[in-house]
Amino acid sequence: MKKNVAILIGIVLFASTGTQAETQVISAADSACLTYDCAQMAEIKTGIQREDSTYAPAYRAMLAKANQALQHAPYSVTDKKLLPASGDKHDYYSFGPYWWPNTEIKSTLPYIRKDGQINPSSKTDDTDSARMVHFANDIRVLSLAAFYGQDARYAQKARTLLQAWFIDKETRMNPNLDYAQAIPGIVNGRGIGIIDTRLLIDVADSIALLHSIGKLPDQELVQYQRWYTEYTTWLLTSRNGLEESNWHNNHGAWYDTQVTAFSLFTGNIPQATRQIEIFKHRHLAAQINMKGEQMAELERTRSFHYSNFALAAYARMGRYGEITGDDLWKFEQDGRRMESAFLFISQQTGKAATEWKYPELKYEPKEATGPVLAAFRAYKSEDFRHSAETLIKEDPANINRLMPGNALVN
């Protein structure tokens, strides 16, 4: 058995006995970091402590955000003003971001779709979408600040936020997404809304990171793993989960990524291994062509963004393959290669927006930073090195520099 798999199995072992679950947790010093490459992060930490200027811009930017997070009140799904169809505020609730009132009809219902154009009303505190983004962003920077710095306040604040979102009976989120990305006048919730909880991968990464440095007790880790176990079961057994698993674009890839990450986080290695196999043959091989193009993303009005967004899922799956001993980075089927998908984007680095030949409402070169850094870490090729250096020179404070193994595209 691979060493990393043994470590992950040791994080938590669930053995069902009637309605009880016996849980065994290994020492914090031996726990894994899930998506993050903690060995590489330790090297970065040494550089920061030695005041090496290489990572200084990213570290300062991350620390500034962590200091802001210290001032934020705990987040809870129970804070929303609107209720999902269940009537339970503990159920996560969001609206489809690209759906707008039909102004040609007095009732404005049903809403109509405008791809790539975000309806601002879908990002207010009336529902939970923006709240989950803020929660995940705060947890990410607080855990990174706790890892790279010495101030105990960051870890304690992260624990406070985590307890409110997952544990406290008055404020916790129910482990389902039955009412995500609802469309007024059409549907109360959709499988496509499961994309919202990709953010909970970053939260799981943060929990594992805090536990690995002894800043989060074993008993709290177990509580979070139980929540994630329940949510993963919902992903695998619900109608919405089945619907999302069948998408042959970034949604299908992110579904696989969530199931795999959450299975690893909770110690279910066989389930993670199975989902990696599904990803390879059902989604990866179906989503890219021999040129590395993701045709379903290139059709979108924000094709560059969505191509990188899907690569962020691919990069994480590559990392999980490292953990389970399945080298996804070298995956090839019928001339379709994982590497080609990253090369396709990397080759756009340094070029003008006019040289991107596909629809794009808001071309942002920095969105490729996370995927390109992940590709350079995996392939070590000159092409990826050059692209990574170019992107970092343009955006030296990019947080992806501090999260090797991960790839963040908002």
Side-chain angles (χ1 to χ4, degrees):
M1 179 178 291
K2 299 291 183 181
K3 181 180 179 181
N4 283 341
V5 176
I7 290 174
L8 278 166
I9 291 175
I11 292 179
V12 58
L13 297 174
F14 288 103
S16 298
T17 307
T19 59
Q20 300 297 318
E22 296 180 2
T23 307
Q24 179 180 354
V25 181
I26 65 170
S27 68
D30 292 328
S31 61
C33 289
L34 195 57
T35 317
Y36 294 154
D37 182 340
C38 281
Q40 192 172 343
M41 288 176 68
E43 295 176 4
I44 295 172
K45 181 175 182 178
T46 298
I48 290 172
Q49 292 174 338
R50 292 176 177 172
E51 300 184 353
D52 185 338
S53 62
T54 303
Y55 295 97
Y59 177 67
R60 287 196 298 267
M62 177 274 294
L63 208 58
K65 291 179 180 179
N67 288 332
Q68 292 174 356
L70 289 174
Q71 308 306 316
H72 296 163
Y75 303 96
S76 168
V77 292
T78 61
D79 291 336
K80 57 179 167 283
K81 298 177 182 178
L82 301 178
L83 282 175
S86 65
D88 187 348
K89 278 199 170 186
H90 292 274
D91 287 331
Y92 178 91
Y93 186 38
S94 66
F95 290 141
Y98 299 144
W99 291 82
W100 294 72
N102 186 345
T103 56
E104 296 183 2
I105 301 176
K106 186 176 181 180
S107 68
T108 73
L109 299 175
Y111 274 27
I112 58 175
R113 189 169 187 266
K114 300 180 182 180
D115 187 35
Q117 301 180 46
I118 295 177
N119 181 348
S121 67
S122 70
K123 303 298 182 183
T124 71
D125 282 340
D126 289 349
T127 56
D128 293 316
S129 176
R131 185 174 294 106
M132 181 178 279
V133 171
H134 297 321
F135 166 66
N137 287 345
D138 279 4
I139 292 296
R140 182 189 301 112
V141 294
L142 287 167
S143 66
L144 289 173
F147 178 85
Y148 286 117
Q150 304 296 324
D151 195 327
R153 294 179 303 161
Y154 299 120
Q156 185 55 54
K157 182 66 176 185
R159 288 177 60 193
T160 298
L161 299 184
L162 288 166
Q163 289 165 2
W165 192 273
F166 292 112
I167 297 176
D168 191 312
K169 291 182 179 180
E170 298 298 320
T171 58
R172 74 189 294 269
M173 173 184 165
N174 289 334
N176 73 72
L177 233 63
D178 289 323
Y179 308 101
Q181 293 206 17
I183 305 172
I186 298 180
V187 66
N188 292 325
R190 302 178 292 160
I192 206 170
I194 288 173
I195 199 78
D196 289 9
T197 47
R198 73 188 185 281
L199 297 165
L200 296 185
I201 302 174
D202 298 278
V203 174
D205 285 329
S206 298
I207 294 170
L209 184 63
L210 289 170
H211 183 258
S212 75
I213 58 174
K215 299 298 184 181
L216 187 141
D218 291 351
Q219 61 270 26
E220 286 185 27
L221 174 65
V222 170
Q223 289 180 290
Y224 299 129
Q225 288 170 320
R226 285 174 177 160
W227 190 98
Y228 274 87
T229 296
E230 291 180 32
Y231 183 59
T232 307
T233 299
W234 180 89
L235 285 173
L236 292 167
T237 60
S238 66
R239 179 177 179 177
N240 281 0
L242 177 63
E243 178 185 320
E244 185 74 340
S245 71
N246 283 314
W247 277 96
H248 287 287
N249 62 2
N250 68 80
H251 279 267
W254 276 110
Y255 173 88
D256 291 338
T257 306
Q258 290 187 59
V259 171
T260 306
F262 302 158
S263 298
L264 290 174
F265 178 63
T266 57
N268 194 332
I269 309 305
Q271 188 167 274
T273 300
R274 176 179 179 274
Q275 202 66 39
I276 288 173
E277 285 299 309
I278 292 173
F279 167 74
K280 286 194 300 186
H281 302 291
R282 187 179 187 185
H283 287 139
L284 181 59
Q287 289 176 10
I288 59 176
N289 62 21
M290 295 177 70
K291 297 179 181 178
E293 298 169 317
Q294 303 171 65
M295 299 310 296
E297 312 307 338
L298 295 178
E299 296 172 352
R300 304 290 297 275
T301 58
R302 294 210 58 204
S303 59
F304 186 75
H305 165 77
Y306 276 108
S307 293
N308 282 291
F309 184 59
L311 286 184
Y314 293 4
R316 293 171 195 230
M317 290 300 283
R319 172 62 179 149
Y320 303 146
E322 295 173 20
I323 293 172
T324 62
D326 190 342
D327 193 349
L328 276 172
W329 296 108
K330 293 180 180 178
F331 174 79
E332 181 175 352
Q333 181 173 304
D334 298 329
R336 301 162 187 259
R337 297 184 299 131
M338 177 101 140
E339 184 177 5
S340 296
F342 286 91
L343 277 171
F344 179 74
I345 289 297
S346 177
Q347 290 165 357
Q348 176 67 16
T349 302
K351 296 181 180 178
T354 53
E355 295 186 66
W356 180 255
K357 300 177 182 179
Y358 308 92
E360 181 54 63
L361 295 175
K362 187 181 179 183
Y363 184 78
E364 295 187 83
K366 67 180 181 180
E367 291 191 315
T369 304
V372 168
L373 284 173
F376 177 56
R377 174 184 168 275
Y379 298 112
K380 304 293 192 299
S381 73
E382 184 64 20
D383 285 338
F384 289 126
R385 183 195 66 78
H386 176 72
S387 294
E389 289 179 351
T390 300
L391 288 165
I392 289 301
K393 184 177 181 180
E394 294 173 354
D395 186 19
N398 195 296
I399 197 171
N400 280 286
R401 302 199 72 193
L402 303 177
M403 305 187 302
N406 203 340
L408 181 64
V409 177
N410 290 325

